[in-house]
């Protein structure tokens, strides 16, 4: 049987670890050629690529900082010249710099918004141009339950993710008639480094399913949204959070 995403070229920003790595592996398993983006952690990106190759998939790594517009455009142009297309774009790159707002530095505010929101613009615009020409493409952004639920010390993170969701809704409306679908996946507490200090005794109190999620559970939703099985879904935010909201 033909793989679900056969002959698709996918670019995953921040694909070296956690949810990003799981998405890379899921897309590769379903037939995509996966480009694993990283900013500084080459080792993790190479490990992700190694896992892709071990399971019979294909891909490569590419280093660029999504907050740098010139560097990002240069690398995406090179990828497009090499492969001719980027069919799937996963905007996963993000950072956290938690602090109470009254104590939050300008750098902490700017770093988080620049990576999530400015990074979305820097990566998506050059990729979208060729999707418009082809009249086909799939864009998925990774948000967070924090976009809807406020958390102490995460004003910058919540603002960035909420802004990302709004941007994707508007973009989806702009390009829907061109055969391009734009959606958001909003994970809750997922078993990654980001929640390693989370008090485990609170899990059953705040998550109706009584457990944290797995990166693979998020990745499978992303894969679905990038397939023709989701052909009538665009402009949506899909929560993967065990029933938190």
């Amino acid at each position: 049987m033909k793989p679900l995403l056969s002959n698709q070229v996918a670019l995953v920003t921040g694909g070296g670890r956690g949810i990003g790595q799981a998405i890379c592996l899921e897309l590769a398993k379903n037939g995509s050629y996966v480009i694993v983006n990283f900013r500084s952690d080459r080792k993790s990106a190479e490990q992700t690529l190694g896992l892709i190759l071990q399971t019979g998939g294909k891909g490569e790594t590419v280093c660029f900082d999504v907050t740098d517009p010139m560097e990002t455009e240069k690398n995406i142009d090179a990828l497009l010249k090499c492969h001719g297309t980027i069919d799937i774009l996963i905007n996963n790159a993000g950072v956290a710099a938690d602090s109470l707002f009254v104590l939050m530095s300008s750098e902490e505010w700017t770093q988080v918004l620049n990576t999530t929101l400015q990074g979305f613009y820097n990566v998506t615009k050059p990729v979208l141009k060729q999707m418009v020409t082809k009249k086909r493409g799939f864009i998925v952004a990774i948000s967070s339950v924090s976009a809807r639920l406020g958390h102490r010390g995460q004003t910058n993170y919540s603002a960035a993710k909420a802004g990302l969701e709004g941007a994707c809704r508007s973009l989806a409306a702009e390009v829907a008639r061109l055969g391009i679908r734009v959606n958001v996946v909003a994970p809750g507490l997922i078993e990654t480094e980001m929640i390693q200090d989370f008090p485990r005794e609170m899990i059953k109190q705040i998550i109706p399913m009584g457990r944290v999620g797995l990166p693979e559970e998020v990745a499978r939703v992303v894969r679905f949204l990038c397939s023709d099985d989701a052909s009538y879904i665009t402009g949506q935010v899909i929560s993967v959070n065990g029933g938190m909201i």
Side-chain angles (χ1 to χ4, degrees):
M1 192 164 107
K2 187 177 179 182
L4 195 62
L5 305 177
S6 181
N7 300 320
Q8 303 288 295
V9 176
L11 171 60
V12 182
T13 65
R17 295 181 297 172
I19 291 173
Q21 181 184 78
I23 292 170
C24 288
L25 296 176
E26 182 68 21
L27 296 180
K29 183 174 73 174
N30 284 272
S32 292
Y33 181 96
V34 178
I35 302 166
V36 185
N37 160 257
F38 68 98
R39 178 178 62 88
S40 58
D41 191 352
R42 182 178 296 275
K43 181 179 179 181
S44 293
E46 293 290 353
Q47 287 176 343
T48 299
L49 179 60
L51 292 171
I52 289 172
L53 300 178
Q54 284 174 25
T55 54
K58 297 180 181 180
E60 65 185 271
T61 62
V62 61
C63 177
F64 63 85
D65 182 349
V66 300
T67 68
D68 185 326
M70 293 183 66
E71 181 186 355
T72 298
E73 186 170 15
K74 176 183 175 182
N75 278 274
I76 289 176
D77 284 348
L79 290 170
L80 289 170
K81 287 178 182 177
C82 178
H83 299 287
T85 182
I86 294 175
D87 306 287
I88 295 169
L89 171 60
I90 311 299
N91 282 291
N92 171 71
V95 296
D98 294 355
S99 176
L100 293 176
F101 187 73
V102 71
L103 301 175
M104 185 177 292
S105 68
S106 175
E107 290 75 16
E108 288 170 329
W109 175 267
T110 302
Q111 178 192 20
V112 173
L113 267 73
N114 275 355
T115 303
T116 296
L117 277 180
Q118 187 64 43
F120 170 81
Y121 175 85
N122 292 343
V123 175
T124 303
K125 189 172 181 181
V127 173
L128 184 65
K129 286 180 179 178
Q130 55 91 39
M131 287 182 175
V132 168
T133 299
K134 295 185 306 174
K135 291 185 168 50
R136 179 177 171 84
F138 311 97
I139 299 172
V140 178
I142 306 303
S143 181
S144 168
V145 66
S146 296
R148 300 185 185 185
L149 292 180
H151 295 287
R152 285 168 50 88
Q154 286 199 325
T155 306
N156 50 0
Y157 189 77
S158 296
K161 293 300 188 180
L164 182 66
E165 292 185 6
C168 286
R169 288 191 185 99
S170 293
L171 181 59
E174 290 181 12
V175 299
R177 293 179 182 272
L178 300 174
I180 301 164
R181 292 192 281 105
V182 184
N183 289 291
V184 178
V185 174
L189 293 177
I190 306 298
E191 195 66 76
T192 65
E193 291 179 5
M194 287 191 71
I195 68 159
Q196 60 185 0
D197 297 325
F198 188 84
R200 297 298 163 135
E201 64 274 10
M202 291 181 59
I203 289 173
K204 289 187 178 180
Q205 298 176 31
I206 65 174
I207 305 177
M209 289 186 71
R211 66 174 179 86
V212 298
L214 299 175
E216 293 78 13
E217 292 176 302
V218 178
R220 286 193 286 270
V221 177
V222 173
R223 178 256 298 156
F224 166 71
L225 291 173
C226 295
S227 74
D228 288 335
D229 287 345
S231 57
Y232 201 51
I233 300 175
T234 196
Q236 304 303 306
V237 178
I238 311 298
S239 295
V240 184
N241 60 29
M244 287 179 70
I245 54 174

